[in-house]
Amino acid sequence: MAWVVAKRAAAASSSSAMKSVSAAAAIWMRSYAKVALGTDIVSAAPNVSLQKARTWDEGVSSKFSTTPLNHIFKDKKVVIFGLPGAYTGVCSNKHVPGYKENIDKFKAKGIDSVICVAVNDPYTMNAWAEKLQANNAIEFYGDFDGSFHKSLDLVTDLSSALLGT
Amino acid sequence: MAWVVAKRAAAASSSSAMKSVSAAAAIWMRSYAKVALGTDIVSAAPNVSLQKARTWDEGVSSKFSTTPLNHIFKDKKVVIFGLPGAYTGVCSNKHVPGYKENIDKFKAKGIDSVICVAVNDPYTMNAWAEKLQANNAIEFYGDFDGSFHKSLDLVTDLSSALLGT
């Protein structure tokens, strides 16, 4: 119950990078909602920012800064995957550990960053990453207001599972 | 940055109970938004339910059940307090520990339940409660869609702090 995959299709090396992402990501694809491989996420979600996972105190000291998507993807090969929410079942037990355990394979394929994003605030994302002991391997970002997911048409009503949209 | 206080003003013993709540709650009142002491919360938020904090697996096994407010308050003297969100600063460091450390004083005053609620899903609330080691003293509930806070006119836009409304 996750969407997965992405590489900004802009850099000269994007073709080979995308093949690498494709090979790596196919292993973990258990998606109900997904972004088509090759989608130019930065163009699809213009002016959207994510919120890097951090403690509340770090949030205060950073003046609650956000990270524009084009900074995240700039000159990088990135795998980004999304989950219904922090602390949800399969995501905690399988999806995130799957990426964490295979981080060396991603790096070997030239991936600079593996990113996990969910519709949560960055403080919850940070606590969840710490609990999963995954924050050294994977970068966690919050999409607290869902603007990133909305831009990519990834909004799903999960209120029946006591999660938001 | 919390709202605090509440006792359903219905039971025959409500007057003395409210005095007790008032005395106990005054210590911790650091509110920007609050519900007036004596507000009949069940009447003010009819047909609203909260989501008892639990793990995802417990959520699944409970079929994602929710708890109607009138069940929470039925024949009980309750102190309920709200916070901007799980894992936020003062709330984690002061507010919740304050209630936890004084739980015996609440009990001595005849309070049956001390409840913490925030606009988070119940899985995040559960993880936060565990981290604070407060889940034995305090009951944690999520208000994932904000319906409880909306009913009590407690909605505050905290997007500048990377939290939702």
Side-chain angles (χ1 to χ4, degrees):
Chain A
M1 199 167 185
W3 60 267
V4 76
V5 171
K7 173 65 188 75
R8 182 182 178 194
S13 61
S14 64
S15 175
S16 61
M18 283 168 54
K19 283 179 190 166
S20 300
V21 174
S22 174
I27 305 166
W28 305 110
M29 191 113 65
R30 304 281 188 277
S31 311
Y32 288 98
K34 65 187 177 192
V35 180
L37 190 63
T39 297
D40 184 338
I41 285 185
V42 175
S43 295
N47 305 317
V48 167
S49 293
L50 296 175
Q51 309 90 47
K52 192 166 177 61
R54 75 202 95 164
T55 65
W56 174 262
D57 287 347
E58 290 168 344
V60 172
S61 62
S62 71
K63 298 181 180 175
F64 302 116
S65 65
T66 63
T67 311
L69 271 187
N70 56 11
H71 285 209
I72 293 173
F73 285 89
K74 185 175 171 60
D75 299 328
K76 282 188 176 179
K77 299 172 187 171
V78 177
V79 169
I80 185 167
F81 67 103
L83 303 168
Y87 299 108
T88 56
V90 178
C91 312
S92 295
N93 299 331
K94 296 287 184 186
H95 291 149
V96 173
Y99 285 95
K100 177 188 168 190
E101 291 160 13
N102 287 277
I103 193 68
D104 290 341
K105 296 179 185 172
F106 284 108
K107 298 291 184 185
K109 287 181 182 291
I111 303 298
D112 296 298
S113 305
V114 176
I115 290 176
C116 175
V117 63
V119 182
N120 286 103
D121 64 71
Y123 325 112
T124 294
M125 290 298 280
N126 181 67
W128 186 45
E130 283 186 352
K131 184 166 185 178
L132 294 176
Q133 297 182 304
N135 44 350
N136 286 333
I138 299 170
E139 296 175 25
F140 287 76
Y141 283 87
D143 179 32
F144 83 94
D145 59 359
S147 59
F148 175 68
H149 288 74
K150 287 172 193 162
S151 294
L152 295 173
D153 200 21
L154 286 166
V155 173
T156 306
D157 184 357
L158 295 172
S159 56
S160 63
L162 311 180
L163 297 163
T165 51
Chain B
M1 201 166 184
W3 59 267
V4 74
V5 170
K7 173 65 188 78
R8 184 184 176 194
S13 60
S14 64
S15 175
S16 61
M18 281 167 58
K19 285 179 190 166
S20 301
V21 173
S22 175
I27 306 167
W28 305 109
M29 192 114 63
R30 302 282 187 280
S31 312
Y32 289 98
K34 65 187 178 192
V35 180
L37 189 64
T39 297
D40 184 337
I41 286 185
V42 175
S43 295
N47 304 317
V48 166
S49 293
L50 295 174
Q51 309 89 46
K52 192 168 178 58
R54 73 202 97 163
T55 66
W56 174 262
D57 287 346
E58 290 167 343
V60 172
S61 63
S62 71
K63 298 182 181 175
F64 301 117
S65 64
T66 63
T67 311
L69 272 187
N70 56 11
H71 285 209
I72 293 172
F73 284 88
K74 185 176 171 58
D75 299 329
K76 282 187 176 179
K77 298 171 187 170
V78 178
V79 168
I80 185 166
F81 66 102
L83 303 168
Y87 298 108
T88 55
V90 179
C91 312
S92 295
N93 300 330
K94 296 286 183 187
H95 291 150
V96 173
Y99 285 95
K100 176 188 168 190
E101 290 160 13
N102 287 277
I103 193 68
D104 290 341
K105 295 179 186 172
F106 284 108
K107 298 292 184 183
K109 288 181 180 292
I111 303 299
D112 296 298
S113 305
V114 176
I115 290 176
C116 175
V117 62
V119 182
N120 286 103
D121 64 70
Y123 325 113
T124 295
M125 289 298 280
N126 182 68
W128 186 47
E130 284 186 351
K131 184 166 185 178
L132 295 175
Q133 298 182 304
N135 45 350
N136 286 334
I138 299 170
E139 296 175 26
F140 287 76
Y141 283 86
D143 180 30
F144 82 93
D145 60 357
S147 59
F148 174 68
H149 287 73
K150 287 173 193 161
S151 295
L152 295 173
D153 199 22
L154 286 165
V155 173
T156 306
D157 184 356
L158 295 172
S159 56
S160 63
L162 311 181
L163 297 164
T165 52

